[in-house]
Amino acid sequence: MTTPKIDALLEARARITPPATGYQPTREFIAAFRQLRQRRRTLLRRYWVAAAAALLILLTWPWRTQERPSAASAGRSDCTAPSERLAAAERHFGPAAGLLFVNDDLLVFERQDADRANHYLVTIEILASGGVKLARLEFATAGDDYIVLEDERINGRIFLVHSDNQNAVLELSLHLRNAGRGNIHLDEIMALEQRNATLALSDGTRLRVDFCRRES
Amino acid sequence: MSTPENQECRFENMILEHLPVFRSLSRRILNNPVEVDDAVQSALLKAWQQRHSFRGQAQLASWVARIVINESYDRLRRQQQEQLVEFTNTDLPAAEPSREWELQRLDQAIAELPELYRQTVHIAILAGYDTTTAAAMLDCSPNTLYQRIHKAKELLHEALQNDHPEN
């Protein structure tokens, strides 16, 4: 094909104007772009969290298999500071990841608002009538949070609304598969007017919640 | 300092203002409105993800326009690969080829040009922008643009010269 022929073809190609109809309305197009961007962001975050979780499991495997103090002693001599293990997990995963200890197991979840700092520490304990600890949950939160948990050990949701530094309302709808200590189902709403509150449940068990503003 | 919300807002305003241009550039390549919208969405997403590599002195919309062209040609190449049998030498017409066939070969040759020359052909020749606008969109001087057009035509000639040995 000669150069003049190519020039002629290019001119002919330039004259072909496809119809400018049949497109999405602009607002819908931008809304679709926003959704696409959000989906991609969520996907990337999930990949990152999954990779980090796998890494943490590998790194902490020797520690997890060693004999160590029970959940009861892992705890809350001072509820304004996170436990060592929660602080270590926060350092490792960074502030954007949601971290929850169910007894000795760490769960990583997607935080509702990853941009806000986790200023509050929450510990939830379920105690049998004799004071024996059946389960313990420990996590940090921005204060207002809606946490959805979907794991074989625990599923359900934790809904937390706080009105000022100390007052908060906690709604729990959780099902825990508690190996060896029986499954636990919680469907409770608690008003937290102090650092901690205890609620007697209908089956004789008790729910104890610590809700503290952390001291940085 | 630019917050993430500001960046999103600025980017969406840019889409709002320049979407007709992006579509017009893409539809000369892909023709089908649904494919055009898909290509533009995909290009915008790539631009958003790579926004940190965007050089401030170039205009954001021009940079995105070039990504739209690349994305559209990538899709066209994929389509052509699926229909490859239509363009193999065994299908070369024995007599005078039809204009449609020649234009398809031209599209294929443009799609296979290096990115820089592909963008040059598309913006400066096919889309019909004047020299100043085309040079601005390609982030180069008019003189450089002429040189690139010349080189692009040479490359097209090389790619297409064996189509009709008798010419």
Side-chain angles (χ1 to χ4, degrees), chain A residues 160-188:
Chain A
L160 185 67
V161 184
H162 90 290
S163 53
D164 58 41
N165 274 356
Q166 205 47 64
N167 293 328
V169 174
L170 176 70
E171 184 177 346
L172 298 171
S173 177
L174 292 174
H175 189 78
L176 279 86
R177 293 170 67 90
N178 215 14
R181 283 176 280 189
N183 292 346
I184 299 168
H185 186 77
L186 291 174
D187 218 340
E188 300 295 337

Short mmCIF file of all heavy atoms in Angstrom, two decimals, chain A residues 160-188:
data_model
loop_
_atom_site.label_atom_id
_atom_site.label_comp_id
_atom_site.label_asym_id
_atom_site.label_seq_id
_atom_site.Cartn_x
_atom_site.Cartn_y
_atom_site.Cartn_z
N LEU A 160 -22.70 -0.02 68.10
CA LEU A 160 -22.30 0.82 69.23
C LEU A 160 -22.53 2.29 68.88
O LEU A 160 -22.08 2.75 67.83
CB LEU A 160 -20.81 0.57 69.51
CG LEU A 160 -20.20 1.25 70.72
CD1 LEU A 160 -20.79 0.70 72.00
CD2 LEU A 160 -18.69 1.03 70.71
N VAL A 161 -23.24 2.99 69.78
CA VAL A 161 -23.44 4.43 69.58
C VAL A 161 -23.02 5.11 70.87
O VAL A 161 -23.47 4.72 71.94
CB VAL A 161 -24.93 4.76 69.32
CG1 VAL A 161 -25.10 6.24 69.04
CG2 VAL A 161 -25.47 3.95 68.17
N HIS A 162 -22.17 6.10 70.78
CA HIS A 162 -21.80 6.80 72.02
C HIS A 162 -22.18 8.27 71.91
O HIS A 162 -22.13 8.87 70.84
CB HIS A 162 -20.31 6.61 72.33
CG HIS A 162 -19.43 7.64 71.74
ND1 HIS A 162 -19.20 7.72 70.39
CD2 HIS A 162 -18.72 8.63 72.32
CE1 HIS A 162 -18.37 8.72 70.15
NE2 HIS A 162 -18.07 9.30 71.29
N SER A 163 -22.61 8.80 73.06
CA SER A 163 -23.10 10.17 73.05
C SER A 163 -22.06 11.16 73.57
O SER A 163 -22.00 12.29 73.13
CB SER A 163 -24.37 10.29 73.89
OG SER A 163 -24.13 9.75 75.17
N ASP A 164 -21.25 10.75 74.50
CA ASP A 164 -20.14 11.60 74.94
C ASP A 164 -19.02 10.67 75.38
O ASP A 164 -19.02 9.48 75.03
CB ASP A 164 -20.55 12.56 76.05
CG ASP A 164 -21.10 11.84 77.26
OD1 ASP A 164 -20.51 10.79 77.63
OD2 ASP A 164 -22.09 12.28 77.83
N ASN A 165 -18.08 11.20 76.15
CA ASN A 165 -16.90 10.39 76.48
C ASN A 165 -17.23 9.08 77.18
O ASN A 165 -16.50 8.12 77.07
CB ASN A 165 -15.96 11.20 77.37
CG ASN A 165 -15.04 12.03 76.50
OD1 ASN A 165 -15.09 11.91 75.28
ND2 ASN A 165 -14.23 12.86 77.12
N GLN A 166 -18.29 9.03 77.95
CA GLN A 166 -18.54 7.83 78.71
C GLN A 166 -19.84 7.11 78.38
O GLN A 166 -19.91 5.90 78.42
CB GLN A 166 -18.46 8.17 80.21
CG GLN A 166 -18.10 6.98 81.06
CD GLN A 166 -16.90 6.20 80.50
OE1 GLN A 166 -15.78 6.70 80.42
NE2 GLN A 166 -17.12 4.96 80.06
N ASN A 167 -20.88 7.88 78.02
CA ASN A 167 -22.17 7.22 77.79
C ASN A 167 -22.24 6.60 76.41
O ASN A 167 -21.87 7.22 75.42
CB ASN A 167 -23.31 8.23 77.96
CG ASN A 167 -23.40 8.69 79.40
OD1 ASN A 167 -23.11 7.93 80.31
ND2 ASN A 167 -23.77 9.95 79.59
N ALA A 168 -22.77 5.38 76.39
CA ALA A 168 -22.89 4.71 75.10
C ALA A 168 -24.00 3.68 75.16
O ALA A 168 -24.45 3.28 76.24
CB ALA A 168 -21.58 4.03 74.75
N VAL A 169 -24.48 3.30 74.00
CA VAL A 169 -25.47 2.23 73.92
C VAL A 169 -24.86 1.13 73.06
O VAL A 169 -24.34 1.38 71.98
CB VAL A 169 -26.78 2.72 73.28
CG1 VAL A 169 -27.74 1.56 73.08
CG2 VAL A 169 -27.42 3.80 74.16
N LEU A 170 -24.92 -0.08 73.60
CA LEU A 170 -24.33 -1.22 72.90
C LEU A 170 -25.43 -2.22 72.56
O LEU A 170 -26.20 -2.63 73.44
CB LEU A 170 -23.29 -1.89 73.81
CG LEU A 170 -22.63 -3.16 73.29
CD1 LEU A 170 -21.69 -2.85 72.13
CD2 LEU A 170 -21.84 -3.83 74.41
N GLU A 171 -25.52 -2.59 71.32
CA GLU A 171 -26.50 -3.59 70.91
C GLU A 171 -25.74 -4.80 70.37
O GLU A 171 -24.89 -4.66 69.48
CB GLU A 171 -27.41 -3.01 69.82
CG GLU A 171 -28.50 -3.98 69.43
CD GLU A 171 -29.45 -3.39 68.40
OE1 GLU A 171 -29.43 -2.16 68.18
OE2 GLU A 171 -30.20 -4.16 67.82
N LEU A 172 -26.05 -5.94 70.92
CA LEU A 172 -25.35 -7.15 70.50
C LEU A 172 -26.34 -8.14 69.91
O LEU A 172 -27.40 -8.39 70.50
CB LEU A 172 -24.67 -7.83 71.70
CG LEU A 172 -23.61 -7.04 72.44
CD1 LEU A 172 -23.22 -7.77 73.72
CD2 LEU A 172 -22.38 -6.85 71.57
N SER A 173 -26.03 -8.66 68.79
CA SER A 173 -26.80 -9.77 68.25
C SER A 173 -25.77 -10.76 67.71
O SER A 173 -25.33 -10.69 66.57
CB SER A 173 -27.72 -9.26 67.14
OG SER A 173 -28.41 -10.35 66.59
N LEU A 174 -25.35 -11.64 68.60
CA LEU A 174 -24.19 -12.48 68.30
C LEU A 174 -24.47 -13.95 68.58
O LEU A 174 -25.21 -14.29 69.51
CB LEU A 174 -23.00 -12.06 69.16
CG LEU A 174 -22.36 -10.70 68.90
CD1 LEU A 174 -21.31 -10.42 69.94
CD2 LEU A 174 -21.75 -10.64 67.51
N HIS A 175 -23.85 -14.77 67.79
CA HIS A 175 -23.89 -16.21 68.05
C HIS A 175 -22.45 -16.71 68.09
O HIS A 175 -21.73 -16.58 67.10
CB HIS A 175 -24.69 -16.91 66.96
CG HIS A 175 -24.95 -18.35 67.29
ND1 HIS A 175 -25.93 -18.74 68.17
CD2 HIS A 175 -24.33 -19.48 66.88
CE1 HIS A 175 -25.90 -20.05 68.28
NE2 HIS A 175 -24.94 -20.53 67.51
N LEU A 176 -22.05 -17.22 69.24
CA LEU A 176 -20.67 -17.70 69.39
C LEU A 176 -20.66 -19.22 69.43
O LEU A 176 -21.44 -19.84 70.17
CB LEU A 176 -20.07 -17.22 70.72
CG LEU A 176 -19.51 -15.81 70.78
CD1 LEU A 176 -20.60 -14.84 71.12
CD2 LEU A 176 -18.43 -15.75 71.82
N ARG A 177 -19.77 -19.80 68.64
CA ARG A 177 -19.55 -21.25 68.75
C ARG A 177 -18.37 -21.42 69.68
O ARG A 177 -17.22 -21.21 69.30
CB ARG A 177 -19.24 -21.84 67.37
CG ARG A 177 -20.44 -21.78 66.44
CD ARG A 177 -20.02 -22.13 65.04
NE ARG A 177 -19.62 -23.53 64.94
CZ ARG A 177 -20.48 -24.52 64.64
NH1 ARG A 177 -21.73 -24.24 64.39
NH2 ARG A 177 -20.09 -25.76 64.58
N ASN A 178 -18.65 -21.77 70.89
CA ASN A 178 -17.65 -21.75 71.95
C ASN A 178 -17.23 -23.18 72.26
O ASN A 178 -17.86 -23.87 73.04
CB ASN A 178 -18.29 -21.10 73.18
CG ASN A 178 -17.29 -20.27 73.94
OD1 ASN A 178 -16.21 -19.98 73.45
ND2 ASN A 178 -17.66 -19.91 75.15
N ALA A 179 -16.19 -23.62 71.62
CA ALA A 179 -15.78 -25.02 71.73
C ALA A 179 -15.65 -25.45 73.18
O ALA A 179 -14.94 -24.82 73.95
CB ALA A 179 -14.47 -25.22 70.99
N GLY A 180 -16.30 -26.52 73.54
CA GLY A 180 -16.17 -27.09 74.87
C GLY A 180 -16.98 -26.39 75.94
O GLY A 180 -17.15 -26.91 77.03
N ARG A 181 -17.47 -25.20 75.66
CA ARG A 181 -18.21 -24.47 76.71
C ARG A 181 -19.63 -24.12 76.26
O ARG A 181 -20.28 -23.26 76.82
CB ARG A 181 -17.44 -23.21 77.09
CG ARG A 181 -16.24 -23.52 77.97
CD ARG A 181 -15.42 -22.29 78.27
NE ARG A 181 -14.53 -21.95 77.17
CZ ARG A 181 -13.59 -21.02 77.25
NH1 ARG A 181 -13.41 -20.36 78.35
NH2 ARG A 181 -12.83 -20.77 76.22
N GLY A 182 -20.09 -24.76 75.20
CA GLY A 182 -21.46 -24.56 74.74
C GLY A 182 -21.59 -23.32 73.89
O GLY A 182 -20.87 -22.34 74.08
N ASN A 183 -22.49 -23.37 72.93
CA ASN A 183 -22.72 -22.21 72.07
C ASN A 183 -23.46 -21.13 72.85
O ASN A 183 -24.24 -21.43 73.76
CB ASN A 183 -23.52 -22.61 70.83
CG ASN A 183 -22.69 -23.50 69.93
OD1 ASN A 183 -21.47 -23.59 70.09
ND2 ASN A 183 -23.33 -24.17 69.01
N ILE A 184 -23.22 -19.89 72.48
CA ILE A 184 -23.83 -18.77 73.20
C ILE A 184 -24.54 -17.87 72.20
O ILE A 184 -23.95 -17.52 71.17
CB ILE A 184 -22.76 -17.94 73.95
CG1 ILE A 184 -22.05 -18.82 74.98
CG2 ILE A 184 -23.37 -16.71 74.61
CD1 ILE A 184 -20.80 -18.19 75.56
N HIS A 185 -25.78 -17.53 72.55
CA HIS A 185 -26.48 -16.58 71.69
C HIS A 185 -26.81 -15.33 72.51
O HIS A 185 -27.38 -15.42 73.60
CB HIS A 185 -27.76 -17.22 71.14
CG HIS A 185 -28.42 -16.32 70.14
ND1 HIS A 185 -27.96 -16.19 68.85
CD2 HIS A 185 -29.48 -15.47 70.26
CE1 HIS A 185 -28.71 -15.30 68.21
NE2 HIS A 185 -29.63 -14.86 69.05
N LEU A 186 -26.44 -14.20 72.01
CA LEU A 186 -26.70 -12.93 72.71
C LEU A 186 -27.57 -12.04 71.83
O LEU A 186 -27.29 -11.86 70.66
CB LEU A 186 -25.38 -12.18 72.95
CG LEU A 186 -24.40 -12.77 73.94
CD1 LEU A 186 -23.11 -11.96 73.91
CD2 LEU A 186 -25.00 -12.74 75.33
N ASP A 187 -28.60 -11.52 72.44
CA ASP A 187 -29.46 -10.57 71.73
C ASP A 187 -29.83 -9.49 72.75
O ASP A 187 -30.91 -9.52 73.34
CB ASP A 187 -30.69 -11.30 71.21
CG ASP A 187 -31.09 -10.79 69.85
OD1 ASP A 187 -30.69 -9.66 69.48
OD2 ASP A 187 -31.82 -11.48 69.16
N GLU A 188 -28.93 -8.59 73.00
CA GLU A 188 -29.11 -7.65 74.13
C GLU A 188 -28.81 -6.21 73.73
O GLU A 188 -27.97 -5.96 72.85
CB GLU A 188 -28.14 -8.01 75.27
CG GLU A 188 -28.32 -9.40 75.83
CD GLU A 188 -29.66 -9.61 76.52
OE1 GLU A 188 -30.27 -8.59 76.96
OE2 GLU A 188 -30.10 -10.76 76.59
#
